[in-house]
């Protein structure tokens, strides 16, 4: 018999939870529960200055109010520095990392805004510094730590987005595992935490799809199995326009004043295609009827009941 599914929701509590976050959490939880699996919560507060503990507590309180339950005490990334240090050391021992002294300004200057670039492909400036040069630069500034990536195609199949191919060297370049301020980067923390928690299914927003090949590469290097990925479409307004991330009307503080938990679940379930038409809905009803076949593959349009 195969192992039970382990799903998770991993919010970054740099603000109040937003409807888009709740949609990811809901689909992740429904999928795990419907398969008889477990569901975990992880607080991605690795960037401690941006994620005060009070916001994490608030996110957990909002999730409980919505009726979420999780099967283990939540992990807080801010408490796991030693675990990330250990895994970074494993990569360093294999000669896969190097210190990078490039400043943010220098990397920004490599962007070609007229080509619509938003992400720099790191050109490998510090990849082959001599030991002498490294020692000299270390007296001037603290480096970030990058991972060397191979010039080969990485392929995986996403549950909603289909087959995804990426060549890490061409599309992203050597990427940061630890920032120059000492904080661990998102890619390493996510991979280590999903791996050690036995997460086998990752449901999250399509905005993170482009990070997935880097995470799969790290899993392979660290010996973790690759989970099944499902990247869900973005929530839009009723006209198909992308929601502004900072739209306060759609965060839980505003929504809790207007709607009950069953109404919010109903709004999200109908946007996702799980209900033919809007009605307030319970977790039991959603779990019994859940199937990925019914979830929209296009943008999910929000409509609020009058
Ligand atoms: N912490 C990320 C976010 O809130 C999600 C990471 C993930 O699900 O892998 O956007």
């Amino acid at each position: 018999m195969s192992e039970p599914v382990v799903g998770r929701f991993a919010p970054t509590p740099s603000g109040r939870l937003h409807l888009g976050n709740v949609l990811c959490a809901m689909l992740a939880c429904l999928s795990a529960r419907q398969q008889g699996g477990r569901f975990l919560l992880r607080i991605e507060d690795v960037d401690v200055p941006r994620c005060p503990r009070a916001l994490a507590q608030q996110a957990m309180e909002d999730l409980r109010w919505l009726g979420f339950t999780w099967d283990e005490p939540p992990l807080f990334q801010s408490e796991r520095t030693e675990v990330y240090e250990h895994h970074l050391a494993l990569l360093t021992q294999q000669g896969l990392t190097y210190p990078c002294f490039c400043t943010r300004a220098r990397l920004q200057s490599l962007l070609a805004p007229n080509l619509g670039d938003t992400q720099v492909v790191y050109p490998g400036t510090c990849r082959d510094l001599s030991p002498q040069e490294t020692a000299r630069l270390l007296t001037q500034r603290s480096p970030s730590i990058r991972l060397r990536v191979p010039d080969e195609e990485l392929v995986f199949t996403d549950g909603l987005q289909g087959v995804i191919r990426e060549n890490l060297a061409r599309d992203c370049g050597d990427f940061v595992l630890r920032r120059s301020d000492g904080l661990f980067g998102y890619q390493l923390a996510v991979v280590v935490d999903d791996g050690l928690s036995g997460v086998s299914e990752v449901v999250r927003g399509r905005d993170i799809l482009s990070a997935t090949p880097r995470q799969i590469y790290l899993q392979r290097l660290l010996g973790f199995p690759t989970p099944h990925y499902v990247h869900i479409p973005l929530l839009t307004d009723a006209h198909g326009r992308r929601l502004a991330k900072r739209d306060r009307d759609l965060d839980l503080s505003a929504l809790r004043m207007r709607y009950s938990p069953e109404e919010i679940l109903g709004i999200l379930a109908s946007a996702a295609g799980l209900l033919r038409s809007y009605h307030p809905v319970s977790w039991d009803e959603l779990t019994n009827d859940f199937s990925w076949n019914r979830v929209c593959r296009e943008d999910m349009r929000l409509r609020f009941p009058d």
Side-chain angles (χ1 to χ4, degrees):
M1 230 181 81
S2 55
E3 294 281 307
V5 169
V6 180
R8 51 69 156 184
F9 175 53
T12 299
S14 56
R16 192 85 182 242
L17 285 183
H18 195 268
L19 266 188
N21 304 124
V22 180
L23 175 66
C24 289
M26 185 183 94
L27 292 174
C29 184
L30 286 173
S31 179
R33 298 265 184 250
Q34 202 265 343
Q35 297 173 78
R38 293 190 303 129
F39 181 66
L40 310 180
L41 177 66
R42 178 170 74 237
I43 302 296
E44 299 213 313
D45 56 353
V46 73
D47 191 347
V48 179
R50 281 182 55 232
C51 302
R53 187 52 69 98
L55 280 174
Q57 304 287 8
Q58 180 68 65
M60 288 162 60
E61 205 273 312
D62 284 335
L63 291 169
R64 283 195 199 96
W65 178 82
L66 284 160
F68 282 91
T69 55
W70 40 92
D71 298 315
E72 285 174 19
L75 287 188
F76 287 80
Q77 289 189 328
S78 56
E79 296 170 359
R80 294 171 60 73
T81 307
E82 283 171 19
V83 182
Y84 307 139
E85 294 278 6
H86 170 74
H87 287 84
L88 177 62
L90 294 178
L91 297 167
T92 300
Q93 281 155 21
Q94 297 176 60
L96 293 168
T97 68
Y98 61 89
C100 168
F101 298 89
C102 295
T103 58
R104 186 180 290 260
R106 164 153 173 77
L107 295 174
Q108 283 296 326
S109 72
L110 300 170
L111 278 175
N114 48 340
L115 298 179
D117 285 6
T118 52
Q119 193 186 327
V120 181
V121 176
Y122 181 67
T125 317
C126 297
R127 198 176 223 241
D128 298 310
L129 293 180
S130 67
Q132 293 79 358
E133 186 68 352
T134 302
R136 189 183 67 77
L137 288 167
L138 276 172
T139 63
Q140 293 174 9
R141 53 188 315 246
S142 45
S144 59
I145 304 293
R146 287 187 186 265
L147 181 74
R148 295 174 194 276
V149 298
D151 183 7
E152 62 193 37
E153 192 171 63
L154 195 149
V155 184
F156 71 101
T157 303
D158 183 271
L160 287 180
Q161 310 296 331
V163 176
I164 307 290
R165 298 170 191 278
E166 187 170 305
N167 179 314
L168 286 174
R170 194 191 57 213
D171 302 330
C172 140
D174 298 342
F175 61 89
V176 171
L177 298 176
R178 201 179 65 198
R179 297 175 3 185
S180 60
D181 60 7
L183 292 177
F184 280 93
Y186 158 68
Q187 316 297 347
L188 183 72
V190 167
V191 166
V192 168
D193 289 342
D194 281 341
L196 295 179
S197 313
V199 167
S200 59
E201 184 175 88
V202 171
V203 177
R204 58 189 182 187
R206 197 168 60 193
D207 52 331
I208 310 181
L209 181 63
S210 65
T212 308
R214 278 172 273 173
Q215 295 177 13
I216 293 177
Y217 181 57
L218 270 174
Q219 286 152 7
R220 292 181 185 168
L221 295 177
L222 292 169
F224 294 124
T226 290
H228 174 60
Y229 284 101
V230 187
H231 287 89
I232 62 175
L234 298 176
L235 271 179
T236 69
D237 68 14
H239 308 288
R241 282 188 295 252
R242 230 190 125 160
L243 300 175
K245 238 201 164 108
R246 307 218 171 276
D247 194 341
R248 293 292 313 275
D249 292 352
L250 300 176
D251 79 21
L252 265 276
S253 63
L255 293 167
R256 282 177 68 162
M257 289 192 267
R258 287 180 62 195
Y259 302 107
S260 68
E262 292 74 19
E263 286 170 332
I264 293 180
L265 294 177
I267 291 166
L268 289 174
S270 43
L274 294 173
L275 298 180
R276 232 179 272 282
S277 60
Y278 165 79
H279 61 88
V281 68
S282 69
W283 276 103
D284 280 349
E285 179 181 342
L286 282 175
T287 311
N288 291 337
D289 296 348
F290 181 77
S291 156
W292 280 112
N293 291 333
R294 297 176 43 218
V295 173
C296 308
R297 281 164 165 67
E298 301 301 320
D299 287 349
M300 298 178 171
R301 294 185 183 211
L302 271 179
R303 285 189 186 79
F304 290 94
D306 302 323

